[in-house]
Amino acid sequence: MTSDRWESAAFKTRVDQVLRRFVAEEAERFAEIDPALEPVAGQLEAAVADGKRLRAAFCYWGWRAVGQPDSDALVRAAASMELVHAAAVVHDDLIDESPLRHGRPTAHIALRGAVRRRPRAVAAARSLAMLVGDLLMGMAGELFTTSGLPAAYLARARPLWAVLARELIAGECLEILRTGAEPDTGASLKVIRYKTAKYTVEQPLLIGGALAGAGGRLREGYSAYGLPLGEAFQLRDDVLGLFGDPEATGKANADDVRGHRPTALLAETWRSAGTEDRELLRALMGQRSLNDGELDSVRATMRRLKAPDRVEGMIAARVEEALDALQGLNVPAPAEAALTALAHSASARLS
């Protein structure tokens, strides 16, 4: 993709090529230490096998919106955002005890085969998965710093990595601390903002902008666009997590209910629920043995109380807010077109 026309499929191919080559080389070096490490190395490659590459795209257009040209070095730097995401996904699946991702066993499930004859095999597999996530985060920093961009450009963006890590981990911690608590929409939105919105849209944009030397007004505009759009992205994920088709999402759709996670969808349901509905929710939320009929009861309650409709309204309002902010940025036309398309694809996806 060397023209100004945004071709998302072509960009994804470029990012995929960077990731697969880089991770394959790192996995090979890792496995060379000892043959026993091969299953762990395999999970490094599995972690980057799929994805829409939205975070890389936002980083790329954070750079291009400043007026910088297309650059293979920039694509490598942007691809590092996907390794941050891969690390976060491995850790998130571990924390949430999610069994599936992209229709395949998650790392902590897949790695049970490597330790099945060991004492406490389930705990050992979870420990291995935690270390896979840690290694992926380290690899993200390595790919970024060896991207080929000038050292002065990298130095401008380096402080934002500390912010990204701090806020991402704060969001994960807030989700753990809020899990099982009485649902609250404001608290759920704060979890969404720190756990997902910032590292999905805002921080990649800001890092791309910092690499390109973006000024203060543009950086403020990136946040005004990125935060509501990132929240819309996660709100859509919450709706898909319970009402989506597992064949399309690649994830088990009972996870949020069984885990009693602090989603805005649950909080909006709770806010409108009367005594009888709350008793039902209390009885079913957090039940690991939840069956299909009980899950359908939760869905039916949510629909009757119109919680999904209100969350859809929250998504639409945030996308509108993001697009309004984008229109005020006065960025080059190709960047505005691409960021508009990304806003729609991030918030209206089916998986």
Side-chain angles (χ1 to χ4, degrees), residues 188-199 227-228 231:
S188 295
L189 290 173
K190 190 167 190 178
V191 170
I192 283 172
R193 173 164 287 207
Y194 283 92
K195 181 191 170 188
T196 303
K198 284 177 166 285
Y199 98 90
L227 281 173
E231 290 178 2

Side-chain angles (χ1 to χ4, degrees), residues 260-326:
H260 199 167
R261 296 175 192 160
T263 67
L265 184 59
L266 172 60
E268 283 298 297
T269 304
W270 187 264
R271 187 167 65 85
S272 301
T275 302
E276 186 176 338
D277 287 328
R278 287 190 175 189
E279 287 178 358
L280 173 72
L281 292 170
R282 284 194 187 98
L284 297 181
M285 298 299 297
Q287 295 301 315
R288 306 304 298 181
S289 59
L290 195 74
N291 62 41
D292 289 343
E294 291 167 332
L295 184 61
D296 285 340
S297 294
V298 173
R299 290 195 189 100
T301 300
M302 289 179 166
R303 288 193 181 102
R304 178 166 46 79
L305 296 173
K306 300 190 182 304
D309 294 339
R310 289 196 297 279
V311 173
E312 290 291 345
M314 294 162 69
I315 293 169
R318 282 161 173 76
V319 173
E320 183 178 359
E321 181 182 349
L323 292 176
D324 285 347
L326 177 61

Side-chain angles (χ1 to χ4, degrees), residues 7-227:
E7 297 176 359
S8 59
F11 178 78
K12 181 183 182 305
T13 297
R14 292 174 74 186
V15 174
D16 285 345
Q17 289 172 345
V18 169
L19 288 172
R20 286 169 183 161
R21 185 179 305 117
F22 177 80
V23 175
E25 291 172 356
E26 290 295 318
E28 183 178 1
R29 293 188 186 104
F30 185 78
E32 283 174 353
I33 294 171
D34 192 287
L37 294 171
E38 288 183 5
V40 181
Q43 286 306 303
L44 295 172
E45 295 188 83
V48 298
D50 301 283
K52 299 174 184 64
R53 312 313 185 199
L54 288 173
R55 293 156 187 85
F58 284 119
C59 184
Y60 177 87
W61 285 106
W63 161 277
R64 291 293 305 276
V66 182
Q68 292 279 14
D70 179 75
S71 159
D72 286 339
L74 187 277
V75 172
R76 283 178 57 82
S80 69
M81 299 292 99
E82 298 298 329
L83 288 174
V84 172
H85 176 53
V89 163
V90 170
H91 284 152
D92 195 49
D93 287 341
L94 177 61
I95 291 166
D96 292 341
E97 299 183 17
S98 297
L100 292 174
R101 174 77 62 166
H102 297 297
R104 296 192 301 271
T106 49
H108 65 280
I109 301 295
L111 285 166
R112 289 180 184 178
V115 291
R116 61 183 178 275
R117 295 187 178 87
R118 307 289 190 274
R120 300 179 66 244
V122 171
R126 290 175 61 83
S127 297
L128 289 174
M130 177 185 68
L131 295 169
V132 168
D134 292 346
L135 186 51
L136 286 164
M137 186 63 86
M139 288 163 59
E142 177 68 12
L143 179 57
F144 185 78
T145 57
T146 61
S147 61
L149 289 172
Y153 290 23
L154 296 171
R156 290 195 295 246
R158 192 168 293 124
L160 293 175
W161 277 78
V163 177
L164 183 154
R166 181 188 313 123
E167 293 180 339
L168 172 57
I169 293 171
E172 288 283 9
C173 290
L174 285 172
E175 183 179 56
I176 293 169
L177 293 167
R178 290 293 309 175
T179 292
E182 181 165 306
D184 176 81
T185 300
S188 295
L189 290 173
K190 190 167 190 178
V191 170
I192 283 172
R193 173 164 287 207
Y194 283 92
K195 181 191 170 188
T196 303
K198 284 177 166 285
Y199 98 90
T200 296
V201 186
E202 184 198 29
Q203 288 296 345
L205 276 169
L206 289 172
I207 287 171
L211 289 168
R217 181 180 175 278
L218 186 54
R219 293 196 303 270
E220 290 174 4
Y222 283 171
S223 292
Y225 164 90
L227 281 173

